[in-house]
Amino acid sequence: VAIVTVINRDEGRPFEQVYAEPIALLDRIRLLVILWRSQLEQINDD
């Protein structure tokens, strides 16, 4: 759907700010779900 270009993390805020470059036709999407792995899962995979 998109390529993430920037992630801004601020420990004082409940959410991260993510910027992404769309690669899909977003005017045709009705619902978007974003999934990511936790740090623990990433560490266990390495």
Side-chain angles (χ1 to χ4, degrees):
V1 175
I3 297 172
V4 174
T5 56
V6 177
I7 300 174
N8 292 327
R9 294 184 174 113
D10 183 350
E11 296 297 324
R13 295 181 176 229
F15 299 103
E16 295 176 2
Q17 188 175 39
V18 178
Y19 294 91
E21 175 111 12
I23 57 174
L25 300 174
L26 298 179
D27 61 337
R28 297 183 183 175
I29 294 176
R30 294 180 56 180
L31 178 64
L32 175 64
V33 176
I34 300 173
L35 304 172
W36 63 90
R37 299 185 318 174
S38 70
Q39 285 183 327
L40 182 58
E41 289 174 326
Q42 291 175 4
I43 291 168
N44 290 336
D45 285 347
D46 292 340

